Amino acid sequence: MNGIAEIITAFFILVGTTISLLAAIGLVRLPDVYTRSHAASKSSTLGVLCVLIGTLLYFLISDGYFSIRLILGIFFVFLTAPVAAHVICRAAYRNQAPVADTMVEDELKEYYELNPEYKKKSIVVEETVQVDE
Amino acid sequence: MKPNDVILQSVTKVAVVIIFTFSIYLFMNGHHNPGGGFIGGLSTAAAVVLLYLAFDIEKVRENIRIDFKKLAALGVLIAVCTGLGGVLFGEEFLTQAFGYKELPIFGKTELTSALIFDTGVALAVIGTAVNIILSISEDR
């Protein structure tokens, strides 16, 4: 009984950590904000999900304990992590983050030029400091 | 023309329900498991701040008509009153009592006066945390 639980749990947790490692490698290797966000959000979401499912199954099979907190955690991560990536990417686009050379087409650009109200002015860091004499 | 935050707002509506449920769970389980008034209050405050982030401050203020300064004061008042309740029965200040009772739905339940004290702590934490965030975020 315990052996089966450990094998299943080990499988899920190994898959989860491997996916998380791939996400970290993608975060280092990929060129710009959008591709990095693509790597980080999707694979880290799936990685965390696999680890949580492994933990849930372990306690379910070995102790017969059904953790409602882990179910809530799985649902919550699945719900919010992609939205966080979406919001970060949108903020990056509105502040004209640099794009990799490999980009072929920017469909959103035409839309933003047609509707200039959508486009927020990027935050200007430079400030002119006037000193009174 | 407003910027559309459809994705953020509709996910916030679902997520806030989960966070409120979880904070109530943390609050009620504080006597025997990790949790309690402080963490329950903080996660409730986090849900309220998430609402403020996804929607307008004015819009949330219209729908949640709570003055968070008064909420913090009410929490402290409740906590002190549970302490005085011990004095009322001839014990020392902040003496806690507990007992078992048959409730209609829950069956045999442990009722403690520490839960009322925890309610006070939670209300004070919610009021203080939300009030700090609100006063930082408003421009004057």
Side-chain angles (χ1 to χ4, degrees):
Chain A
M1 193 66 179
N2 226 0
I4 304 169
E6 277 169 14
I7 289 171
I8 295 173
T9 312
F11 173 73
F12 269 108
I13 289 182
L14 266 178
V15 169
T17 45
T18 313
I19 291 173
S20 298
L21 179 67
L22 287 179
I25 293 174
L27 209 59
V28 178
R29 293 282 298 164
L30 287 172
D32 66 349
V33 179
Y34 311 106
T35 46
R36 278 177 185 172
S37 157
H38 161 82
S41 69
K42 280 206 247 314
S43 36
S44 72
T45 309
L46 193 61
V48 171
L49 280 188
C50 279
V51 173
L52 287 180
I53 288 174
T55 321
L56 179 78
L57 284 179
Y58 179 76
F59 284 113
L60 188 62
I61 298 173
S62 69
D63 294 353
Y65 173 68
F66 187 77
S67 172
I68 197 71
R69 274 171 291 181
L70 279 172
I71 290 282
L72 263 182
I74 290 168
F75 182 65
F76 198 73
V77 169
F78 200 55
L79 185 74
T80 53
V83 180
H86 160 79
V87 171
I88 291 171
C89 274
R90 209 165 80 145
Y93 190 86
R94 287 196 176 177
N95 286 305
Q96 282 119 25
V99 187
D101 305 331
T102 48
M103 188 173 77
V104 187
E105 201 177 352
D106 190 356
E107 288 185 349
L108 201 56
K109 194 175 183 178
E110 295 168 15
Y111 184 74
Y112 269 65
E113 276 164 3
L114 279 177
N115 304 294
E117 300 90 0
Y118 272 128
K119 200 169 194 170
K120 280 190 183 171
K121 282 176 186 164
S122 60
I123 301 160
V124 181
V125 183
E126 290 175 289
E127 281 183 358
T128 52
V129 182
Q130 291 181 340
V131 183
D132 294 326
E133 291 183 10
Chain B
M1 195 183 284
K2 280 183 175 179
N4 62 359
D5 295 332
V6 179
I7 298 179
L8 182 61
Q9 289 180 352
S10 47
V11 168
T12 301
K13 281 175 198 162
V14 183
V16 158
V17 176
I18 300 175
I19 302 174
F20 275 137
T21 318
F22 187 64
S23 53
I24 291 173
Y25 169 82
L26 278 178
F27 174 72
M28 298 301 286
N29 268 24
H31 209 72
H32 297 290
N33 287 314
F38 188 78
I39 297 182
L42 266 189
S43 51
T44 313
V48 175
V49 171
L50 179 64
L51 276 178
Y52 277 121
L53 278 178
F55 299 92
D56 250 343
I57 280 190
E58 293 303 320
K59 205 170 182 180
V60 179
R61 192 171 282 162
E62 276 172 24
N63 287 298
I64 306 177
R65 294 177 172 276
I66 299 174
D67 189 353
F68 286 99
K69 290 177 199 124
K70 284 175 188 165
L71 196 72
L74 179 73
V76 175
L77 186 70
I78 290 174
V80 172
C81 282
T82 46
L84 288 178
V87 177
L88 207 65
F89 289 102
E91 301 282 332
E92 286 184 3
F93 184 63
L94 279 178
T95 308
Q96 305 291 341
F98 72 97
Y100 293 93
K101 254 198 166 173
E102 293 286 336
L103 290 184
I105 302 171
F106 301 102
K108 191 182 175 191
T109 319
E110 185 186 22
L111 292 176
T112 59
S113 67
L115 188 68
I116 307 172
F117 184 77
D118 252 6
T119 314
V121 173
L123 290 184
V125 168
I126 294 170
T128 317
V130 175
N131 206 12
I132 287 172
I133 303 268
L134 276 186
S135 48
I136 289 173
S137 66
E138 275 176 359
D139 294 332
R140 290 283 170 193

